[in-house]
Amino acid sequence: MSILPQLLFVLILGAAGYILYKRVSFLRRNIFLGKKETRNDQSDKRWKTMLLVAFGQQKMFKRFVPAFLHLLIYVAFAVINLEVLEFIIDGLTGSHRIFAPFLGAAYGVAMNVFEFLAIAVLVSCVAFLIRRNVMKVERFTKPEMKGWPAMDANLILVIEIILMFAILTMNATDQLLAERGVEKYTLLNGLVFSSLIQPLFANMSDAALIAIERFAWWFHIVGILGFAIYVTYSKHLHIFLAFPNTWYSNLKPKGEMQNMDEVTNEVNMMLGIASEASAEPPAEIGRFGAKDINDLSWVNVMNAYSCTECGRCTSECPANLTGKKLSPRKIMMDVRDRADEVGKSIDAGGPGLEDGKSLLGDYITKEEINACTSCNACVEACPVNIDPLSIILQMRRYVAMEESGTPAQWNAMFQNMETSFSPWKFAPTDRFNWADQVKSEEVK
Amino acid sequence: MAEMAASGESPEILFWVGCAGSFDDRYKAVTQAFVKILNKVGVSFAVLGPEEACTGDPARRAGNEFLFQMQAVANIQVMNGYEVKKVVTACPHCFNTIKNEYPALGGTYDVIHHSQFLQELINKGKVVLQGGGEFKGKKITFHDSCYLGRANDVYEAPRDVIKALDVELVEMKRCRTKGLCCGAGGAQMFKEPENGKKDINIERTEEALATGASAIAVGCPFCLTMMTDGVKNKEREHDVKVYDLAEMIAKDMGI
């Protein structure tokens, strides 16, 4: 028995591990291009949120059909990956189905479960391909989905289908070989699903079967490693990031906008109110609001990498529904693409953030952010608790306070508020006039 | 408030009227209706009158944090000066801002929306309804305001108030957590919408009309304006009315 396959396996595993390590470091560094923000309070509630929303897929089930199909793929992914452990041990030691003798009959049951899940994934992926490409569900065909995002989604589905076929082919040929008593192959009692495709291979020679079985085995494991690397370039990162992303969810009421303490200091100084912070020297003068990804919080950037472009946010956005340019999904995709661009530039020794471009302007326009009604429909809709609204409002702050670039009608509203303490131009002394009528009625 | 403070009284609650409630002709009627209810029930309350200023909500949502905080700090100074403990308001935007955003600036109060307050009064038997009056048995739909619903998870109080009127509450397709915005939040009330194929309030009004309701109930001055405009746009103002919850209760009480 040659040791070559084992050597090859070690090499492939090592190379995949190295690439993955580089990719994870890249993503991690990109996320931390965002500003520091501490969100470690209420850890009980955070674990609970993660369990319900990420692990339990709670918010997915607002739309039952895709949620159910997605659940099948999710469970299959988690369960079938147990088998990857066996693949790796087999690959390293040259053994074959090393767990089979230890688990006895349970092994056969497990394999049947895996095969059932493989079929479930096949069905779900085909259904998803149909939803995207034949039914053309509206949220999958918005302008921001043109090109790579649509391709990315289809590629993932196709890869998953091929990987599942590899498992079934491997099991079918493996069992044919076992039935023929070929050395090393273990007969498992009745693999329900793969036996259905056995007739395809029944007339082949042992050698041909071994070749197919080995090819399917290698294809599957290399495919999984390749897929793991692919995921880091893809919207599919949500399979990992959904967990930290939900842990770091915003637990405050959705209507609350984060206070800008740097502004509070200045307001207090202007009004002559002593505050705890005003005694300290002013911190490093940063920007008000967000122009680029480094003005956002790291949680905002992690949100962007967690987005799987499902578009539930956009499909519930009142602005988008009525034909405005704003799409919360596009906001998230833009943040991610900008973070990627900056990260790549830094790694190539380039200018990074100083490349003359910025998130607001080159990726996101004022027309988009101005159309937001801050209604929180996007935040509510997101299955992994992404908060596009926070990013939109931070950019509005930049436009208002750094560029004085808000629409003229808003400037007029600001002026009214400054002069008459109301967004409308009414005399503040008239504020109580409504009471005249009540009083006169009471006199009657 | 100033008068009460001068005479050494401290009212149980501060009714935060808000700018729309003070100046908008349509919403002034809501303020009046709510005050009549309070008077009828004998709640000890006060208003700030000319000492009240905009909470700053639209300025903050439009990005002007400075202006927001200037407004907020001034309001907080006034309220803290009167040692205000409990605030009730008929505007979800004021409600959200005072409840959630003033604490960071030194103003912490127990803040409730008038729908919650009305629900309390009904539950405690302080407001006894006459069985719906002109609304009895009619189909009424409730439009969730974003700043009451999603922003603060208040979905049932306004519905309970409506149900107390012995009407048939019909829901729109998008309601509660999935409620569709009227189009005015996030300072949109104060500017024209961006280019698109439709105005948001029209989309929402169409949905409300599709329920076949004879009245659309709201709990927010902006929603009231947007839905009223929407109904007018659809030329249905003769048979579909838009009311605030307080108006409906006051009508039923015959005040």
Side-chain angles (χ1 to χ4, degrees), chain A residues 257 324 370 372 374 396, chain B residues 61 65 101 147 188 198:
Chain A
M257 267 179 81
K324 278 84 178 174
N370 285 344
C372 172
S374 71
R396 277 195 187 171
Chain B
R61 264 90 200 147
E65 181 77 4
E101 299 181 353
Y147 276 80
Q188 298 298 342
K198 197 177 196 180

Side-chain angles (χ1 to χ4, degrees), chain A residues 6 86 89-98 184 214 217:
Chain A
Q6 280 161 263
E86 186 183 45
I89 297 175
D90 282 348
L92 290 174
T93 62
S95 57
H96 185 71
R97 294 197 186 271
I98 192 164
K184 276 185 80 173
R214 283 293 86 194
W217 187 92

Side-chain angles (χ1 to χ4, degrees), chain B residues 135-141 162 166-170:
Chain B
F135 300 112
K136 191 173 172 66
K138 293 250 177 77
K139 271 191 186 174
I140 311 273
T141 189
I162 296 171
D166 200 17
V167 300
E168 185 191 345
L169 177 64
V170 285

Side-chain angles (χ1 to χ4, degrees), chain A residues 254-255 257 259-260 264 322 324 370 372-375 396-397 409-410 421 431-432 434 441-442, chain B residues 19 32 36 39 47 52 54 60-61 65 69 96 101 146-147 150-151 185-188 192 197-198:
Chain A
K254 288 194 193 74
M257 267 179 81
N259 195 62
M260 290 179 71
T264 308
T322 53
K324 278 84 178 174
N370 285 344
C372 172
T373 68
S374 71
C375 76
R396 277 195 187 171
R397 281 173 165 170
Q409 285 175 306
W410 275 353
F421 313 109
R431 230 175 226 281
F432 202 37
W434 58 265
E441 276 177 27
E442 272 172 9
Chain B
C19 301
Q32 288 157 354
K36 283 184 204 165
N39 282 338
V47 297
E52 187 184 289
C54 174
R60 184 171 237 194
R61 264 90 200 147
E65 181 77 4
Q69 291 201 12
N96 176 67
E101 299 181 353
C146 310
Y147 276 80
R150 274 188 296 269
Q188 298 298 342
E192 289 303 312
K197 41 176 211 266
K198 197 177 196 180

Side-chain angles (χ1 to χ4, degrees), chain A residues 62 316-318 321 373 375-378 380, chain B residues 142-147 149-150 155 159 171-183 200 204 207:
Chain A
K62 287 181 180 179
E316 305 214 352
C317 171
L321 278 170
T373 68
C375 76
N376 269 301
C378 55
E380 179 70 38
Chain B
F142 176 69
H143 163 76
D144 285 283
S145 7
C146 310
Y147 276 80
R150 274 188 296 269
Y155 298 107
R159 288 182 166 78
E171 294 291 353
M172 286 183 249
K173 211 174 118 218
R174 289 173 282 202
C175 62
R176 296 193 170 84
T177 57
K178 287 193 147 199
L180 181 74
C181 176
C182 71
I200 296 170
R204 185 55 164 172
E207 199 175 357

Side-chain angles (χ1 to χ4, degrees), chain A residues 39 46 56 90 184 206 291 345 347 361 376 401 411:
Chain A
R39 267 198 200 175
R46 294 189 177 283
D90 282 348
K184 276 185 80 173
D206 287 357
K291 181 189 187 192
S345 168
D347 285 348
N376 269 301
M401 292 188 282
N411 286 332

